[in-house]
Every structure is written in structure tokens, then in C-alpha cells.
Amino acid sequence: MPRGDKSAYTDKQRRQAEHIEESERKEGRSEKDAERIAWATVNKQDGGGKRSGSGRKSAKKTARKATKKAVKKATRTATKKAAKKVARKSATKKATKKVARKATKKTARKTASKAVKKTARKTAGKATKKSAAGRKTAKKAAKKTTRTSTSRSTAATKAARTRARKRNGAAAS
């Protein structure tokens, strides 16, 4: 097709070009400039002639580019969604581990408090054999250790024991 051939354009595109050309002529442009502006405008709007032939290849390329862009965008969003899903799963695993740790701590505390009670009873039993006055103080001490050890944290319990040792050591000397 020779340059400037308008056979690839549809009737609608030709009518549009004529209308634009008339408008440009009314504004005072020369016939040559008006025609050039008219066809440039039609090409800008539609990407060239819509009939098969020259000019259609570029329209197909544009369509392919648009399709590629859409596919890329869809892939990106799908990837983001998948990443969010994985993040949610890992967060659930972390929460489960946390709950398991808390449960382990609770059972450890219960076991420790049972052991403390047992040793307190043994101490009270030994004191009973010694004397009646010693029995009362032993029971009080057993109750006190039982009460405090269950409600205190490990660090607080250690600190309380250290203070008690210091007091007992100071009283002995």
C-alpha cells in the first residue's frame, strides 16, 4: 500500500476525519494542514486504520502489550495473596507455640507447688516429733511457704529464700 493510502480506514473513521477537517478549515487553517490534523487525530484516537492491511499490525501489538500487562498485574496480586496466606499460617503456628509454652509453664508451677507442699508437710512432721511448741511454728512455716511459693514468680521466690537465709543467719550469730 502506498504511503497516504486511506483504504485501511473504516467509513466511520473517514467521516470523523472529514468532520475534523471542516472544523479546522473554519478556524482558518489551510486545506493541507486541516487534512493533516484530521487524519492525525483519527490515528491518535483509533491507532490507525481498523480494516485489515497496513496499520493493523501495530494495533495487534498494542493489544498484546495490554494483555501482557494484565497478566503481569494478575500474577503480582496472586503472589501477594499467597504471601499473605503463608504469613497468616506462620502467625497461627507462632500463636500455637506460645499457648504450648504457657501450658508447660503452668504445669511446671503446679508440680513445683505440690513439691513445696510435700516438703512442708515432711518438715512439719519432723517438728511434731520434737515438741508441741515446735509443731505450731513448723505448721505456720509450712503454710507460709505453701502460700507464697504458688503465688510468686521464680525470681521472687529465690529472693525471698535469700532474705530468709540472711535473717536466720543473723539470728544464729
Side-chain angles (χ1 to χ4, degrees), residues 9-25:
Y9 291 90
T10 61
D11 292 337
K12 183 181 177 184
Q13 287 176 318
R14 287 190 183 124
R15 285 193 307 272
Q16 284 175 333
E18 283 177 25
H19 180 73
I20 294 166
E21 191 177 338
E22 286 174 19
S23 303
E24 294 298 322
R25 289 286 293 144

Side-chain angles (χ1 to χ4, degrees), residues 26-149:
K26 282 182 184 174
E27 288 182 21
R29 299 224 176 17
S30 69
E31 195 170 318
K32 191 177 178 182
D33 282 344
E35 188 180 359
R36 182 184 54 79
I37 291 169
W39 286 109
T41 306
V42 171
N43 286 337
K44 178 91 173 178
Q45 288 173 348
D46 296 330
K50 288 192 173 181
R51 286 196 187 154
S52 62
S54 72
R56 285 300 290 150
K57 289 176 190 168
S58 63
K60 284 180 186 174
K61 283 182 184 176
T62 310
R64 274 194 218 120
K65 282 182 183 177
T67 308
K68 282 183 182 179
K69 278 185 182 179
V71 168
K72 276 186 181 178
K73 189 174 184 181
T75 308
R76 263 187 258 129
T77 53
T79 309
K80 284 180 183 176
K81 284 180 182 177
K84 282 181 182 178
K85 198 173 191 180
V86 169
R88 271 191 233 118
K89 282 185 179 179
S90 65
T92 308
K93 284 181 183 177
K94 285 179 185 175
T96 309
K97 285 180 183 177
K98 226 179 195 180
V99 170
R101 269 189 249 123
K102 281 185 178 179
T104 310
K105 283 181 182 177
K106 269 188 178 178
T107 52
R109 274 191 225 123
K110 282 182 182 178
T111 312
S113 68
K114 282 180 183 178
V116 169
K117 285 178 184 176
K118 205 173 193 180
T119 51
R121 280 191 214 113
K122 281 183 183 177
T123 312
K126 287 178 185 175
T128 309
K129 291 176 186 173
K130 290 181 183 176
S131 68
R135 204 181 307 150
K136 284 183 180 178
T137 47
K139 278 185 181 178
K140 282 182 182 177
K143 279 184 180 178
K144 195 173 190 180
T145 54
T146 308
R147 251 185 276 130
T148 55
S149 64

